[in-house]
Amino acid sequence: MDAQEGIVVAAGIVSVAALCAVVFLATALRRTRGAVRDLREAVDARNVAPDPDPDGGGGRPAQSPGTHRETVSVVTSLSAPGAGIAAGDDRDEMVVLTRDGRAIVLPSTERVVGAALGRPLVRGATFTHGVAHALRPESRDRVRGLVRREFRHRRKQRLRAGRRAARAARLDTRDPT
Amino acid sequence: MKSRVVWFAVGTTAGIYTSVKARRIAYRLTPTGISDQVGALGVGFRAFGAEVRAGMAERETQIADELGLTAPLPRARVVSELESQESKDND
């Protein structure tokens, strides 16, 4: 057996080993996928359909064995008596109670609006729109008319006051007492 | 005769118009006239600011609508204030 035949045999052995490895990995992957799918279905089944509490204890679902680490499911209003948290100004805030005793406060719509519109880029965009709105021809004419009217009003008031003062002064000089 | 009367009327009108305009310009250059102009400009600045705020409120409402958020906006009252101001000006 010369060197060339040795290389061919070695290549054949390597390719067979690679084929075996691929088959093994494919089988393992299929098994793992099946296990993950089963787990996901089990978790979805637990989260979607919690058992209703027959005692009416705050709407909390009955705890099944082995589920004490999972979060949630009970959504109550902050002002609800069973929430255990003082109600704020926003009445539409909701509280999510986890099974391990944590309370997650969901932001109200007003807060979401405030957070969304309070970002610098959005504020800059709204300000630019506002300036463009104020510089429209109709707004400009309106402001110009307001300024002109205000100036005329003030001038008339001042002239009227001046005439009144002059009249009063003339009456004072005529009055001998 | 007729042309003399016409020219007399034209001259009188032009004189009255010129004197009124000159008096107004002279008033503008007095200290009281300048203070009146400054006050009127302040009113104009306030009106301009109200217009800017109205435009901002309009845009914020548009953005909130696009995002599907329907909470009342704090600046939305500016529009109603502007409308009431306009109705007051018209009165």
Side-chain angles (χ1 to χ4, degrees):
Chain A
M1 181 188 290
D2 58 350
Q4 200 171 3
E5 287 177 347
I7 289 172
V8 170
V9 170
I13 292 169
V14 167
S15 60
V16 169
L19 190 63
C20 290
V22 166
V23 170
F24 175 74
L25 285 175
T27 312
L29 185 64
R30 200 180 312 130
R31 272 190 207 143
T32 311
R33 274 187 186 157
V36 167
R37 195 174 48 240
D38 292 344
L39 280 173
R40 192 172 291 159
E41 281 171 3
V43 167
D44 287 346
R46 273 186 203 137
N47 282 343
V48 166
D51 296 331
D53 192 357
D55 299 328
R60 183 174 274 213
Q63 192 166 350
S64 56
T67 60
H68 56 278
R69 281 193 174 274
E70 291 170 10
T71 48
V72 153
S73 40
V74 184
V75 179
T76 62
S77 170
L78 252 189
S79 54
I85 297 173
D89 290 338
D90 303 320
R91 290 290 169 195
D92 60 338
E93 273 186 348
M94 306 299 275
V95 178
V96 176
L97 299 173
T98 61
R99 287 184 192 276
D100 52 355
R102 286 180 301 150
I104 301 166
V105 180
L106 300 178
S108 65
T109 316
E110 206 167 316
R111 286 194 179 180
V112 173
V113 171
L117 300 181
R119 301 188 71 96
L121 195 63
V122 178
R123 285 177 72 181
T126 53
F127 179 72
T128 310
H129 188 271
V131 171
H133 177 87
L135 289 177
R136 289 177 314 165
E138 48 263 44
S139 303
R140 245 176 11 217
D141 288 349
R142 189 178 153 275
V143 171
R144 202 174 292 157
L146 265 177
V147 169
R148 203 172 296 158
R149 218 178 304 153
E150 178 67 21
F151 174 69
R152 218 173 289 159
H153 177 67
R154 285 177 183 237
R155 191 188 63 206
K156 278 181 185 170
Q157 264 189 340
R158 213 177 275 276
L159 290 177
R160 210 175 294 145
R163 274 199 294 268
R164 207 179 300 136
R167 210 177 301 135
R170 221 178 296 144
L171 285 177
D172 284 346
T173 52
R174 279 183 197 168
D175 196 2
T177 59
Chain B
M1 182 64 189
K2 194 181 174 184
S3 77
R4 279 186 186 179
V5 171
V6 168
W7 280 114
F8 176 76
V10 168
T12 309
T13 310
I16 290 170
Y17 179 81
T18 310
S19 68
V20 166
K21 284 286 172 190
R23 207 184 305 145
R24 283 185 185 171
I25 290 171
Y27 175 78
R28 276 177 182 259
L29 297 177
T30 59
T32 53
I34 289 171
S35 83
D36 283 352
Q37 288 178 80
V38 170
L41 272 180
V43 171
F45 274 122
R46 277 197 292 278
F48 185 79
E51 287 281 349
V52 170
R53 283 194 294 277
M56 288 174 75
E58 183 188 313
R59 185 70 185 131
E60 282 178 356
T61 311
Q62 281 176 5
I63 291 173
D65 284 345
E66 283 165 13
L67 293 176
L69 305 169
T70 54
L73 294 171
R75 229 189 294 270
R77 66 173 187 275
V78 173
V79 179
S80 62
E81 280 177 10
L82 262 183
E83 286 172 356
S84 66
Q85 189 183 346
E86 274 183 4
S87 65
K88 207 185 291 175
D89 288 343
N90 291 334
D91 292 340

